[in-house]
Amino acid sequence: MSIQYEEPALAGSYSVVDSFPKDFGYGVEEPDIEEESATSGDTKPRILLMGLRRSGKSSIQKVVFHKMSPNETLFLESTNKIYKDDISSTSFVNFQIWDFPGQVDFFDPTFDYEMIFRGTGALIFVIDAQDDYVEALGRLHLTVSRAYRINPEINFEVFIHKVDGLSDDHKIETQRDIHQRANDDLADASLEKLHLSFYLTSIYDHSIFEAFSKVVQKLIPQLPTLENLLNIFISNSGIEKAFLFDVVSKIYIATDSSPVDMQSYELCCDMIDVVIDVSCIYGLRGDGSGSAYDKESLAIIKLNNTTVLYLKEVTKFLALVCILREESFEKKGLIDYNFHCFRKATQEVFEVGSLTQRTGMLQSQSTSPNNSLSNLKFGALNGGVV
């Protein structure tokens, strides 16, 4: 494997303009939010993390959004308060995670559960696959049925967690059993329209990042536009697969329409880790000035199987990571030109999304990001433009 790396210098502090947030984090946890949130006017999408005690909810949050090593989560204390974690990565991937302790009955009269569920975009229920999950299924049914009656627009996600200790056959059987029992309970309650999505997850591999990627994508209204842009980009650049990553969390907020191969996704995640590690070690200027990640940031990794990984900065928190063959990479000029078109269009999507959030108005036909696609001129492999 050979690495070609181009990266601007880093600053000693990550709080400078056009760099990662300080400590590569997403913000400070705020405990005791049940009283505060009832009067809050915050309109950010909300993701609820729920489940029984010791199911792994806090570990998921720490590993995905706070860069904690999976082994360090063994020393986390059990959550005994509700924590709100404000996630601010990009202009529209901008949400809150509320971590509920397993022992708290949030249907208690002292909790304003109607307010909680009305402002929720996704509800993640974590089930410990290595434990007896009968009680967890009962709590799952109680939670989702109550939430659905208050807000039927919630996306209901079930993380079948801690599957790293199970054999492949046991994983499949556990997922099938949980899926069957949960949906049978919903059918018995005449809630057939309530849809549950199931994911096998573990903090010891990339499955938790992929699962969270799928959850976050459902909260992004611009997702179809981004996927369309990626499809146009890869088809005219000879690229096999492309991911649009949030660099801090390694969540991919969009990819092209071809199926996601777990091995390819892991390669891209590992590349981001390499870029960040090398930046932190070798990116400093003599006077310690510079930024961690800006518009000039890029990296190229050539594997020994003729595969090339190509990373380029899109916005100050997003990176495009591409997988392609060496023969396709010979036309790097064409790829870079097409990337410039893609980057410009993506920034328009951001701007329109931010404008819509600020004004609360519907997008007009003249500023629609889908409309701007027709004005793009991507370079084609045959030398023309499309």
Side-chain angles (χ1 to χ4, degrees):
M1 178 180 75
S2 63
I3 299 178
Q4 300 178 35
Y5 181 76
E6 300 177 27
E7 182 69 47
L10 284 165
S13 169
Y14 301 114
S15 59
V16 295
V17 177
D18 286 337
S19 69
F20 290 121
K22 197 167 186 179
D23 299 324
F24 294 123
Y26 277 90
V28 180
E29 292 180 336
E30 302 172 22
D32 298 318
I33 51 79
E34 53 266 28
E35 296 296 330
E36 167 195 341
S37 59
T39 59
S40 172
D42 207 339
T43 58
K44 294 178 183 177
R46 185 182 303 151
I47 297 178
L48 307 185
L49 267 176
M50 296 183 171
L52 299 183
R53 293 183 72 252
R54 311 305 299 177
S55 59
K57 304 182 296 297
S58 298
S59 298
I60 291 172
Q61 179 187 0
K62 294 294 187 181
V63 168
V64 175
F65 296 108
H66 294 281
K67 313 302 288 181
M68 181 177 284
S69 166
N71 292 326
E72 292 179 43
T73 63
L74 297 172
F75 305 102
L76 286 177
E77 295 182 1
S78 182
T79 303
N80 55 17
K81 296 181 181 180
I82 303 174
Y83 281 91
K84 179 176 72 173
D85 202 2
D86 196 355
I87 311 299
S88 301
S89 59
T90 69
S91 58
F92 60 84
V93 183
N94 193 15
F95 53 87
Q96 301 170 336
I97 294 183
W98 289 19
D99 184 3
F100 283 77
Q103 70 272 22
V104 170
D105 179 11
F106 53 90
F107 294 121
D108 187 277
T110 59
F111 287 91
D112 188 358
Y113 58 84
E114 288 199 12
M115 179 280 300
I116 292 173
F117 289 138
R118 287 193 192 283
T120 295
L123 190 158
I124 300 174
F125 196 93
V126 183
I127 297 177
D128 185 348
Q130 299 185 23
D131 198 2
D132 182 10
Y133 45 77
V134 173
E135 182 184 355
L137 285 171
R139 178 68 71 90
L140 168 66
H141 177 75
L142 175 66
T143 303
V144 300
S145 58
R146 181 74 66 92
Y148 180 77
R149 291 187 177 95
I150 295 172
N151 181 7
E153 301 301 317
I154 294 177
N155 298 318
F156 295 99
E157 322 284 352
V158 180
F159 284 7
I160 304 171
H161 196 49
K162 302 183 182 179
V163 297
D164 49 278
L166 307 180
S167 65
D168 290 341
D169 290 341
H170 196 178
K171 289 179 187 177
I172 296 172
E173 177 60 27
T174 300
Q175 183 177 22
R176 185 204 62 78
D177 187 40
I178 291 177
H179 183 280
Q180 184 68 42
R181 292 191 187 193
N183 283 300
D184 285 349
D185 289 342
L186 293 177
D188 292 342
S190 301
L191 292 172
E192 293 88 351
K193 292 184 179 180
L194 195 162
H195 176 70
L196 299 176
S197 299
F198 296 86
Y199 308 88
L200 294 171
T201 61
S202 170
I203 59 174
Y204 291 96
D205 57 29
H206 292 85
S207 59
I208 189 62
F209 295 97
E210 185 179 27
F212 238 108
S213 296
K214 301 290 181 60
V215 172
V216 170
Q217 286 169 21
K218 295 178 183 179
L219 301 178
I220 301 175
Q222 297 92 339
L223 180 63
T225 302
L226 295 173
E227 289 181 346
N228 194 10
L229 282 170
L230 286 167
N231 286 333
I232 297 173
F233 172 68
I234 68 168
S235 63
N236 290 285
S237 305
I239 292 172
E240 295 183 357
K241 189 68 181 172
F243 294 92
L244 189 59
F245 273 97
D246 172 21
V247 180
V248 176
S249 65
K250 293 187 291 188
I251 286 176
Y252 68 94
I253 67 167
T255 185
D256 58 88
S257 57
S258 63
V260 175
D261 174 53
M262 191 63 177
Q263 186 177 12
S264 299
Y265 173 65
E266 290 175 358
L267 274 174
C268 295
C269 288
D270 291 343
M271 182 183 193
I272 292 174
D273 286 335
V274 169
V275 170
I276 298 304
D277 290 345
V278 173
S279 298
C280 292
I281 297 171
Y282 299 108
L284 289 172
R285 290 182 186 147
D287 58 359
S289 64
S291 61
Y293 187 78
D294 65 14
K295 62 183 180 180
E296 301 299 328
S297 299
L298 68 90
I300 303 163
I301 297 179
K302 294 184 178 180
L303 306 181
N304 55 12
N305 61 353
T306 73
T307 298
V308 176
L309 304 179
Y310 190 32
L311 180 149
K312 283 182 73 79
E313 186 266 0
V314 177
T315 72
K316 74 174 185 176
F317 291 117
L318 290 183
L320 182 69
V321 183
C322 306
I323 301 175
L324 65 159
R325 296 294 172 187
E326 281 188 8
E327 54 267 27
S328 299
F329 195 68
E330 292 175 0
K331 299 182 179 179
K332 183 174 178 296
L334 172 67
I335 295 173
D336 288 343
Y337 172 78
N338 287 342
F339 171 79
H340 174 75
C341 297
F342 170 81
R343 184 187 198 180
K344 180 180 178 182
T346 302
Q347 290 171 346
E348 289 183 21
V349 172
F350 275 71
E351 290 167 1
V352 171
S354 298
L355 180 63
T356 304
Q357 276 190 336
R358 288 195 301 267
T359 62
M361 301 171 60
L362 294 175
Q363 296 174 6
S364 67
Q365 187 70 17
S366 61
T367 59
S368 168
N370 282 309
N371 227 25
S372 68
L373 294 180
S374 60
N375 299 322
L376 287 175
K377 297 297 182 182
F378 281 87
L381 290 173
N382 60 10
V385 295
V386 294

